[in-house]
Amino acid sequence: MNILITGGTGFIGGHLADYILENIKDSKVLILARPNGNTSKDILYYLFKKYSGRIRFAKVDIRNYREVRTTTRDVDIVYHLAAQPNPDMSIINPRETFKININGTVNVLEACLESPSVEKIIIQSSPEVYGDPVYTPIDENHPLNPTHPYSASKLAADRLAYSYFKTYGLPIIIARPFNAYGPWQRPPAVIPSFIERIIEDRPVVIYGDGKQARDYVYVKDVVYGLYLLSYRGRYGEVYNFASGKAISIIEIAQKISAILGKELKIIHKPARPAEPKVLIGSYKKAKVELGWEPRYSFDDGLKETIQSYLSL
């Protein structure tokens, strides 16, 4: 089985490649990353050392259709994870975010449409597409109301993928994992930013009062869900991967400082514009249809994440 992962040198992409190669013994993986993008050499080194001969790497910008098209030949499953993932950057430079997240997704979809070998395409979307919750926990039928350029770009990519399923019969499955965290994640994501700053006795930066809360899912649970989609997911369907619980930003900082035995210092900055206050997801559909549910508590995942930083 030949598998393509766009954004394969990123945080979730690296863990997904590791999980697939570990658990599908006849698999080979091609991972793509943008030239001059956020390619992790540590992830590449780990994967190539562990799976020599079964993994390939290509520098491909998903905004370049010709480059993308060449990578889908002889591929059975495509995981499209590549994106500009930073909401703050999307506010500063929305055009760049749209080019990567929307135009790049169109290129991946078109390349898959032309490929005679692609059997399944799994698109990683985002819970940010739901916007301010009308009700919680948020299920897949919740209204879609993105509130900033990043979430709008992810919704556009999400619905574009669905339109290719409806219009062309492309075998699309859409994942909306809530806030993933774990080893290999790097700043500006909240948890690694806090870990690094607290280890170095620097103050953490919190926007607003820090009471904004998110549903955090350990990365090993997320990639297991993505893996299950390739076997049990229904075409054209959307699946949340969530914990069903929310934890505030200030609580995360407090937990990290307690685990590390360090004093917590905080710098407060103005709240981000249009940031949803609370996001809590429902994973009922994933549990019923995929047999998926989170196996890691937030505290256990956080301890494992911090230990990975201390062992570097």
Side-chain angles (χ1 to χ4, degrees), residues 6-109:
T6 73
T9 62
F11 159 55
I12 297 177
H15 280 281
L16 179 61
D18 187 28
Y19 189 90
I20 287 170
L21 290 165
E22 181 70 30
N23 290 280
I24 306 177
K25 297 305 180 183
D26 62 343
S27 62
K28 293 183 179 180
V29 171
L30 170 60
I31 53 179
L32 306 186
R34 179 164 50 97
N36 303 317
N38 188 27
T39 298
S40 171
K41 293 181 180 178
D42 290 339
I43 293 174
L44 276 178
Y45 177 77
Y46 170 85
L47 293 173
F48 273 86
K49 183 178 179 181
K50 187 175 179 181
Y51 303 107
S52 177
R54 296 176 58 205
I55 187 163
R56 294 184 294 135
F57 168 64
K59 289 185 177 181
V60 171
D61 191 328
I62 60 171
R63 292 170 293 184
N64 186 317
Y65 175 66
R66 290 183 179 180
E67 290 183 4
V68 175
R69 185 175 58 181
T70 63
T71 67
T72 57
R73 297 169 184 165
D74 302 319
V75 167
D76 302 303
I77 298 174
V78 174
Y79 286 93
H80 177 43
L81 277 60
Q84 192 296 98
N86 189 333
D88 290 341
M89 186 59 66
S90 80
I91 294 170
I92 296 168
N93 193 347
R95 289 178 183 272
E96 185 73 3
T97 299
F98 297 152
K99 288 177 182 177
I100 296 171
N101 294 358
I102 301 175
N103 296 351
T105 297
V106 171
N107 287 340
V108 171
L109 295 171

Side-chain angles (χ1 to χ4, degrees), residues 10 38 42 46 52 74 83 86 132 152 170 208 243 256 269 274 303 308 310:
N38 188 27
D42 290 339
Y46 170 85
S52 177
D74 302 319
N86 189 333
D132 290 312
L170 207 58
S243 72
I256 293 171
K269 290 190 175 183
K303 289 174 184 176
S308 74
L310 296 176

